[in-house]
Amino acid sequence: MRVLAAIWAITLSTPLWADPCDELPKPSVTIKRIEEKIAFNTQYSYKSLTNMGAALARPGKQVLGLTRGNASVSFSMNTPAFIDRTGHWECSSPQITVTYGLSPITVYVAKEFPEGSCAYKEIYEHEMRHVKAYQTHIADIEKLLADALNARFATGSPWRGPVGQTRARLQQEMTERWTSFVQREFNRVEEAQARIDSPEEYERVANACDGEIKKRTR
């Protein structure tokens, strides 16, 4: 019994080797939405707006108002790391922040329709539906972005590899893969925007205000 007790005591007192990589924070992804700033512009004529919105307007239709969103996405990284004694290998923990959104969102109303007029009100309210579609879409894709990026980068344990390669690989992947991924998700909003600009809506706005709009666009 004395021998067994001595062996047990020795086993307990032997220190266990600790992996210094375990001291690093777990990899993480943080998603931040840009607060949309809405700018208003009444400096352009409806003819100028028709040219500006030619790619989106229905053929033969005049553009009385226009809403444009400037899509933006940026990635920032912090990669705390531990380098082994040889100086050849490292473990690192990517801490990635993605900031995305539309800023600014600019609403144009043709200058032929002064603020306060019935026509201005109709056009403005129509364009604000486009603004709402942008805002809803930006909010809706947040979870999709978070799920996709967390699945790729928030692995639960540090990344291991040759010194310096992890950060370089991350930067390359952000540029070549994830920027275009976010841009594709931005572009899906165009389906909702097209539904707002239905033929029926074009006719409704054009004939609103007892013909005021048609008179000013002849």
Side-chain angles (χ1 to χ4, degrees):
M1 291 297 293
R2 290 179 182 175
V3 174
L4 289 175
I7 293 173
W8 180 246
I10 292 171
T11 302
L12 287 177
S13 63
T14 301
L16 297 175
W17 181 80
D19 184 354
C21 297
D22 292 339
E23 298 179 10
L24 294 172
K26 291 184 178 180
S28 69
V29 174
T30 301
I31 307 292
K32 293 183 178 180
R33 259 190 284 161
I34 298 172
E35 291 296 325
E36 302 98 340
K37 296 178 181 179
I38 303 175
F40 296 93
N41 188 309
T42 57
Q43 298 177 352
Y44 294 92
S45 68
Y46 74 89
K47 291 182 179 179
S48 295
L49 294 184
T50 299
N51 289 332
M52 290 168 61
L56 301 174
R58 294 182 180 276
K61 297 296 183 180
Q62 296 165 334
V63 176
L64 311 176
L66 186 65
T67 299
R68 282 184 165 179
N70 183 34
S72 174
V73 59
S74 63
F75 300 90
S76 61
M77 288 183 295
N78 180 31
T79 51
F82 173 80
I83 300 175
D84 77 346
R85 293 178 181 178
T86 69
H88 296 147
W89 299 91
E90 70 176 3
C91 53
S92 58
S93 178
Q95 311 291 305
I96 298 171
T97 299
V98 182
T99 304
Y100 81 104
L102 295 166
S103 183
I105 296 176
T106 304
V107 175
Y108 298 86
V109 176
K111 66 181 181 180
E112 288 84 0
F113 311 106
E115 188 172 354
S117 66
C118 174
Y120 179 94
K121 178 177 179 294
E122 287 290 341
I123 297 167
Y124 170 84
E125 289 179 352
H126 172 88
E127 295 307 319
M128 290 307 293
R129 290 175 61 193
H130 287 296
V131 171
K132 181 64 176 177
Y134 275 132
Q135 293 172 332
T136 299
H137 184 70
I138 291 299
D140 287 348
I141 66 175
E142 182 172 355
K143 184 178 185 304
L144 183 148
L145 297 180
D147 289 348
L149 291 164
N150 274 301
R152 173 67 182 96
F153 298 108
T155 56
S157 59
W159 293 30
R160 300 171 189 263
V163 170
Q165 285 195 9
T166 298
R167 186 173 181 85
R169 189 176 67 188
L170 283 170
Q171 289 175 331
Q172 181 179 8
E173 184 171 338
M174 290 300 176
T175 300
E176 296 180 356
R177 176 182 177 184
W178 292 102
T179 298
S180 58
F181 174 84
V182 177
Q183 187 62 57
R184 285 196 301 273
E185 294 307 317
F186 276 143
N187 292 342
R188 295 185 194 280
V189 74
E190 297 307 327
E191 297 174 11
Q193 301 292 20
R195 288 194 294 271
I196 293 172
D197 287 333
S198 65
E200 295 77 14
E201 177 66 3
Y202 265 103
E203 287 302 312
R204 187 195 69 78
V205 174
N207 292 301
C209 303
D210 296 324
E212 177 186 346
I213 293 174
K214 282 190 173 180
K215 290 176 184 177
R216 292 179 180 270
T217 55
R218 286 176 180 171

